[in-house]
Amino acid sequence: MDGNGRWAQRRFRPRVFGHIRGSSKIKPIVREANRLGVQALTLYAFSTENWSRPEAELSVLWRLLKKYLIREADELDRNNVRLRIIGESERLGSDVHAVLGPVVERLSKNTGLQLNFAVSYGSRREIARAARLFALDCMNGKRSPEDLAKNETLLNDYLWTSELGALSDVDLVIRTSGEKRVSNFLLWQAAYAEFVFTDVCWPDFTLEHLTAAIQEYSSRERRFGGVSAPATQNVWPNPVPQQN
Ligand code: IPE
Ligand code: MG
């Protein structure tokens, strides 16, 4: 969800104004993703590198996250959405945990859209952590290094996304704000993802932009390193309903 700061600065407003406007876009996008039949949606809300931002900006970001969770828990539950946090949850403040814990618990039985907030998330840290956990399992005899040689996907079980199972493989990454970088996001999981880059900053990202990105995705041929597949292979699980 990139571009909040620049969106605000272009309007001669403080960066946090962009975060406030940006956070208001989460609700409609989540609702629409659910309606379109998206099975898993991960929002990159805060990276491990974002900790270097000024304290005042950080406190607004945490306040907005808590506000979102408090406001939206009912609707998410009604819509059968399950919520997870991926990232270094141990670095989040006790105030964030106090709000987050009960909401995650409340939605934990839901089977619809699997909504993930990447918070204090960094993919290199995630992979390094997975390697460490795997090594520990080798030391205590639960695994052997050869297991990984036979089946590289074993490492999935050690990532923050492990609970998502097959859904942890990313189909589509949408990056807003004109940047054309991966920025330490789901490096392992997005190995064969399609990327859609848009110049639109996150506070201006609408349902139409989402639909357009999914349609762009649907028109791509995914070969996964193989040869041409039948043209129908890449149709979105559910046809994109017409807007009215
Ligand atoms: C939002 O956009 C992403 C967050 C870290 C909350 P930015 O704050 O990165 O906005 P830009 O990139 O400075 O415009
Ligand atoms: Mg940015």
Side-chain angles (χ1 to χ4, degrees), residues 2-3 6 53 175:
D2 200 12
R6 277 163 289 161
R53 294 189 178 199
R175 176 141 196 182

Side-chain angles (χ1 to χ4, degrees), residues 88-152:
E88 309 167 295
S89 59
E90 65 281 1
R91 282 182 84 177
L92 309 183
S94 54
D95 56 326
V96 177
H97 276 290
V99 175
L100 198 55
V103 177
V104 168
E105 169 61 28
R106 175 173 171 197
L107 307 180
S108 64
K109 303 280 182 308
N110 289 345
T111 54
L113 174 70
Q114 305 292 296
L115 175 63
N116 310 296
F117 273 79
V119 182
S120 192
Y121 177 85
S123 197
R124 285 185 166 182
R125 200 153 295 188
E126 176 182 38
I127 294 167
R129 175 180 172 274
R132 181 171 57 79
L133 294 175
F134 183 81
L136 287 171
D137 271 357
C138 290
M139 284 167 69
N140 64 31
K142 273 169 71 183
R143 292 270 182 221
S144 100
E146 288 316 304
D147 295 343
L148 210 47
K150 282 186 224 128
N151 178 11
E152 66 190 23

Side-chain angles (χ1 to χ4, degrees), residues 147-163:
D147 295 343
L148 210 47
K150 282 186 224 128
N151 178 11
E152 66 190 23
T153 63
L154 254 189
L155 204 72
N156 291 347
D157 297 345
Y158 297 85
L159 298 171
W160 282 314
T161 50
S162 62
E163 284 184 25

Side-chain angles (χ1 to χ4, degrees), residues 1 26 29-30 41-45 115-119 185 202:
M1 300 186 284
I26 298 175
I29 293 297
V30 168
L41 173 68
T42 301
L43 298 169
Y44 201 1
L115 175 63
N116 310 296
F117 273 79
V119 182
F185 186 56
W202 175 254

Side-chain angles (χ1 to χ4, degrees), residues 193-244:
E194 296 293 326
F195 282 74
V196 169
F197 296 101
T198 169
D199 288 338
V200 173
C201 286
W202 175 254
D204 284 333
F205 194 77
T206 62
L207 307 187
E208 288 70 33
H209 295 121
L210 177 67
T211 309
I214 291 175
Q215 258 153 3
E216 159 81 36
Y217 164 86
S218 300
S219 73
R220 304 243 182 111
E221 187 195 19
R222 300 180 80 192
R223 292 187 298 278
F224 299 95
V227 291
S228 238
T232 52
Q233 181 228 6
N234 196 29
V235 171
W236 191 254
N238 301 325
V240 175
Q242 292 301 309
Q243 303 286 328
N244 43 31

